[in-house]
């Protein structure tokens, strides 16, 4: 996420781009007396030129490993090759562990068993359920989805998991439930960046109940035919392929059905740049950059970005009566 927060002082803009400058700056910030002055940014474009990390962490042998691979649901087709697994699993956004992209090592500190998901709020069947028990209740499948980060990089991934609408059905929402609030774990002992009070931890995301019931909304437990690695959000994340990637919260511990629209992490940080809906639209630029094209991880060739990331046939009707909303930020 390309976020810049000015606090007291800042380095000149021309230093705010290449990754090595960023990392040097972080070192400077932590080793100098300039604590409290913070410029947080990442630089996705220039990282396109970087090589994929040489080693994706091996998928942890968790109790669900023997369930994989799941049968592919052929409804969801790609218009491009599947992204090389090395890229998809070593080039990440996960601010709990780092504001850079190379965080595989840091993310391994997260314990993912036992992992209990709390589902509460305006539902008839509230529950606390272990991830392995939840997987037993859900129809597991694999889907090929595109993923478009708001920073303009993209990838195409075989996710494994289950349709969110199945989980919605399981907990029987009350009529007044309008939104789902999805909350990531909070554990500053293992996720060092959660010690930085400036961020509105924990990471929260949200969607409407209609969006949650849409066929495309997918809960992810695995990728590339095995359990997802920790850096990609194990043991449970969401994939909403028509929205910018920041909507897909990782390592979820709680889903609350509510009548209040959740304020998400990035919105809480920078509401003039990141909103609730965040649907992909090449015609609506981010306040600081164009969204017209994207770079697929592993390729330098820009390609046009598509409305709703190419998923309009599935989701456009959701927004037919919401023209007064800021649907694309
Ligand atoms: N979830 C949490 N908890 N923390 C994060 O920093 N980053 C988001 C999203 N989910 C993020 C998160 C962003 S900006 C993107 S683009 C995707 O995760 C990246 O997913 P990936 O690392 O699997 O590619």
């Amino acid at each position: 996420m390309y976020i810049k927060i000015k606090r007291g002082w800042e380095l000149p803009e021309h230093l705010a781009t290449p990754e090595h400058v960023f990392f040097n700056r972080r070192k400077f910030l932590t080793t100098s007396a300039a604590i409290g002055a913070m410029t947080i940014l990442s630089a996705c474009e220039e990282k396109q030129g970087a090589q994929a990390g040489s080693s994706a962490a091996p998928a942890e042998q968790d109790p669900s490993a023997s369930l994989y691979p799941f049968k592919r649901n052929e409804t969801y087709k790609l218009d491009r090759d599947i992204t090389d697994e090395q890229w998809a699993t070593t080039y990440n956004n996960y601010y709990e562990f780092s504001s850079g992209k190379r965080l595989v090592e840091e993310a391994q500190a997260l314990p993912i068993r036992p992992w209990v998901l709390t589902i509460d709020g305006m539902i008839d069947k509230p529950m606390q359920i272990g991830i392995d028990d939840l997987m037993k209740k859900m129809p597991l499948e694999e889907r090929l989805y595109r993923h478009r980060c708001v920073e303009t990089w993209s990838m195409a991934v075989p996710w494994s998991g289950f349709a969110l609408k199945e989980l919605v059905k399981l907990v029987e929402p009350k009529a007044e439930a309008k939104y789902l609030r999805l909350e990531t774990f909070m554990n500053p002992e293992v996720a060092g960046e959660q010690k930085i009070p400036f961020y509105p931890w924990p990471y929260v995301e949200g969607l409407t109940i209609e969006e949650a019931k849409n066929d495309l909304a997918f809960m992810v437990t695995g990728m590339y035919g095995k359990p997802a690695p920790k850096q990609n959000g194990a043991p449970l994340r969401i994939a909403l392929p028509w929205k910018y990637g920041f909507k897909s919260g990782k390592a979820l511990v709680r889903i609350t059905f509510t009548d209040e629209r959740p304020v998400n992490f990035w919105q809480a940080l920078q509401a003039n740049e990141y909103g609730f809906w965040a649907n992909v639209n090449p015609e609506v630029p981010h306040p600081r950059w164009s969204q017209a094209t994207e770079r697929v991880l592993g390729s330098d060739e820009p390609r046009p970005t598509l409305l709703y990331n190419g998923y309009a046939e599935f989701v456009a009707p959701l927004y037919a009566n919401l023209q007064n909303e800021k649907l694309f930020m």
Side-chain angles (χ1 to χ4, degrees), residues 248-307:
S248 57
K250 295 178 171 182
L252 300 171
V253 293
R254 187 170 180 188
I255 299 179
T256 304
F257 289 70
T258 167
D259 57 0
E260 267 177 48
R261 184 178 292 186
V263 176
N264 58 44
F265 180 85
W266 290 107
Q267 198 182 5
L269 262 178
Q270 202 124 320
N272 58 333
E273 300 198 346
Y274 304 100
F276 170 77
W277 298 98
N279 296 313
V280 175
N281 188 338
E283 312 262 304
V284 180
H286 181 278
R288 286 182 285 127
W289 59 84
S290 165
Q291 294 292 16
T293 61
E294 64 199 67
R295 288 180 187 274
V296 183
L297 290 184
S299 147
D300 281 337
E301 206 51 49
R303 53 182 301 157
T305 285
L306 305 171
L307 180 62

Side-chain angles (χ1 to χ4, degrees), residues 112-252:
I112 57 169
R113 290 295 189 287
W115 191 272
V116 176
L117 177 69
T118 298
I119 313 176
D120 61 5
M122 296 170 166
I123 51 178
D124 282 338
K125 300 253 169 74
M127 58 181 78
Q128 289 198 305
I129 185 163
I131 181 66
D132 299 299
D133 290 336
L134 179 63
M135 286 175 76
K136 279 185 204 141
K137 287 181 187 291
M138 292 289 118
L140 303 173
E141 61 183 58
E142 180 180 77
R143 295 185 183 186
L144 304 181
Y145 273 0
R146 294 184 293 276
H147 173 101
R148 171 61 156 79
C149 178
V150 73
E151 299 165 333
T152 75
W153 57 268
S154 69
M155 60 183 181
V157 174
W159 298 119
S160 308
F162 54 88
L164 175 56
K165 68 176 183 182
E166 299 296 334
L167 184 146
V168 172
K169 222 187 288 171
L170 179 75
V171 298
E172 298 180 16
K174 295 184 189 295
E176 57 267 36
K178 300 279 180 273
Y179 299 96
L180 274 67
R181 179 183 181 280
L182 297 97
E183 188 178 310
T184 294
F185 77 89
M186 182 71 192
N187 186 349
E189 292 312 307
V190 299
E193 300 285 307
Q194 289 187 330
K195 290 187 178 139
I196 302 178
F198 158 76
Y199 285 114
W201 303 117
Y203 197 96
V204 164
E205 259 308 334
L207 65 167
T208 65
I209 195 153
E210 290 78 19
E211 290 176 322
K213 289 194 219 163
N214 186 273
D215 285 337
L216 271 187
F218 196 57
M219 299 302 286
V220 169
T221 59
M223 61 197 293
Y224 295 92
K226 53 200 175 215
K230 295 181 182 184
Q231 63 272 19
N232 290 91
L236 185 67
R237 70 176 282 174
I238 189 168
L240 302 165
W242 71 100
K243 292 180 177 284
Y244 290 115
F246 67 85
K247 296 296 296 180
S248 57
K250 295 178 171 182
L252 300 171

